[in-house]
Amino acid sequence: MKNHVQESSDSEILKDRIREYALKSGALVFGVASPEEISKRSPEGHSPKDFLPNVRSVVVIGGGKMLAGAMRCRDPKWVGVIGSQKLRQVKEISFKLAEYIEELGYYAIPYASYSLANGIWDPDISIKLCAELAGLGTRSLAGGIVLNPKYGFLFYSIILTSAPLKPDEPLKESVCPHPSCVRMWERNHTTPCLKACPECLSGEIENGRIKWMKYNRLLCYPKANWSRVGFQKALLDIINESDPEKRKMMVLGSRFTSLVSALAYSIVSAQCYRCTSVCPVGREFRAKR
Amino acid sequence: MYAISPELYRKYRDEVLNLSNSIQGGRKRGLSVEEIAMKLGLDVRDVKEILSIAEKDMPFQEWEKADRFKEKRSD
Ligand code: SF4
Ligand code: SF4
């Protein structure tokens, strides 16, 4: 029987191998969260063990750093589509990584927003919570997105696994607000993200920390107007229109055509990225010649 | 196809939205569908329906307004 020291060094080696594979596959950051810690902070039925009974670790990867060019693009439609492509890339890495973990002999299952199949935004497991517990970042004033201290805004994905990996520690310091945002707050009582989107975002900074924040996802969602929700909304308007001539204009018009094209070609614009493009965290990666 | 009664929807729409994570704030997390159902004494299926409809239940003009909002980005 292996002793404790042997077991923990095996676990370190295993974690190193998985990390190395994740980074080689395109992830920018890697961490491990404890399923027990996730459970403590989650509603009943939303814990890793509810989906994989013998789960021992939750691997978290982050990546899909937005192209610097996209953040400066004059046409916001491009940004939205590039963003959804980036999210897809991170999900693909998580699928590859799950395959790799299974090759090493452990169960692994990537979580890729399966909750959308329920038709509502009620995540099975909170990816933000996992990313925080894995020490990859902290929540921000910009819609509570988890900001990584090095890269700023990233997409995250998780893999539940039976592999015994040592969990990482959450960050000791909050990434948000950035010191320049604190200075801006002291001068003008606003921050770059709050100023960029006063409709969806509100909050306050006190003593250099977030005092409170509010994110109205209901208002953020329509900004992603290339989405299935946009299609549903337009369809309802069309059905309710009693004038056949006007209905024709609506069905054949550019708005509905763009929504139908988005469905046909799986184009999703999940965000407008205005709040994240002005955030100073990770700005050095968005500065090019 | 199952559809909840419009009366039930109207009665609980705001409460369900406020309890959910549609509007997020601070460290306090929104409630899950099951938790909302328990709190309001409703069926889980009905809460799911209310939430699904309420999240999109705003005038289509909001979507059109979004175009103008996004255009401002390139100012
Ligand atoms: S993504 Fe756009 S609409 Fe949503 S909070 Fe950020 S700036 Fe506002
Ligand atoms: S702009 Fe400043 S306050 Fe807003 S999310 Fe970024 S660091 Fe936080």
Side-chain angles (χ1 to χ4, degrees), chain A residues 140-142 147 175-178 181 191-194 205 275 278-281:
Chain A
S140 66
L141 269 181
L147 282 185
V175 180
C176 170
H178 184 273
C181 301
T191 66
C193 58
L194 296 181
I205 292 176
C275 51
V278 293
C279 178
V281 184

Side-chain angles (χ1 to χ4, degrees), chain A residues 223-262:
Chain A
K223 309 289 190 298
N225 48 5
W226 272 0
S227 69
R228 65 198 158 81
V229 179
F231 177 81
Q232 284 172 290
K233 290 295 302 177
L235 187 64
L236 195 62
D237 265 23
I238 292 165
I239 293 167
N240 286 336
E241 176 55 58
S242 54
D243 178 351
E245 278 297 304
K246 199 164 169 215
R247 218 164 41 225
K248 177 176 162 187
M249 301 301 127
M250 289 164 93
V251 171
L252 303 182
S254 66
R255 157 67 60 182
F256 196 60
T257 302
S258 84
L259 291 166
V260 172
S261 310

Side-chain angles (χ1 to χ4, degrees), chain A residues 43 74 76 119-122 128 199 213-215 217-218 223 225 229-230 232-233 237 255 274 277, chain B residues 21-26 29 33-35 48 52 55-56 58 60 63 65-67 69-70 73-74:
Chain A
R74 305 293 294 172
I120 46 168
W121 282 103
D122 186 34
K128 282 181 183 174
E199 264 200 321
M213 63 76 72
K214 192 164 152 192
Y215 166 51
R217 199 179 59 192
L218 295 181
K223 309 289 190 298
N225 48 5
V229 179
Q232 284 172 290
K233 290 295 302 177
D237 265 23
R255 157 67 60 182
R274 219 168 118 168
S277 65
Chain B
N21 61 6
S22 295
I23 295 167
Q24 304 175 10
R29 66 167 175 80
V33 169
E34 294 80 9
E35 287 172 329
K48 227 163 127 175
S52 176
E55 287 206 321
K56 309 166 193 104
M58 54 179 79
F60 190 65
W63 267 257
K65 238 171 72 185
D67 282 349
F69 173 85
K70 287 168 147 191
R73 185 180 191 270
S74 47

